[in-house]
Amino acid sequence: MLTSIDKALVAAIMGILFIVQTYTGLQLPWATPDTIATIIGLVTPVLVWAIPNEKVA
């Protein structure tokens, strides 16, 4: 299930893709909200694992 942060990321990415497609003429037929949500859902755990937490002294 997506968190509110994941939903905000999907909304931001879809907004950016809309602007890019509108003003550059670049067409990305695979870029649907479901596809972007799936990609974010797959990438988020990898980033959480790969990027260690900062140690606060």
Side-chain angles (χ1 to χ4, degrees):
M1 188 167 291
L2 293 176
T3 65
S4 59
I5 293 173
D6 290 336
K7 291 178 184 177
L9 285 172
V10 171
I13 291 171
M14 291 308 295
I16 291 168
L17 287 175
F18 171 76
I19 291 169
V20 168
Q21 289 180 359
T22 300
Y23 293 108
T24 65
L26 178 66
Q27 294 298 318
L28 301 172
W30 57 268
T32 64
D34 291 336
T35 304
I36 301 297
T38 302
I39 292 169
I40 288 173
L42 293 172
V43 170
T44 299
V46 173
L47 292 177
V48 168
W49 171 80
I51 301 172
N53 293 334
E54 289 185 27
K55 293 182 180 179
V56 178

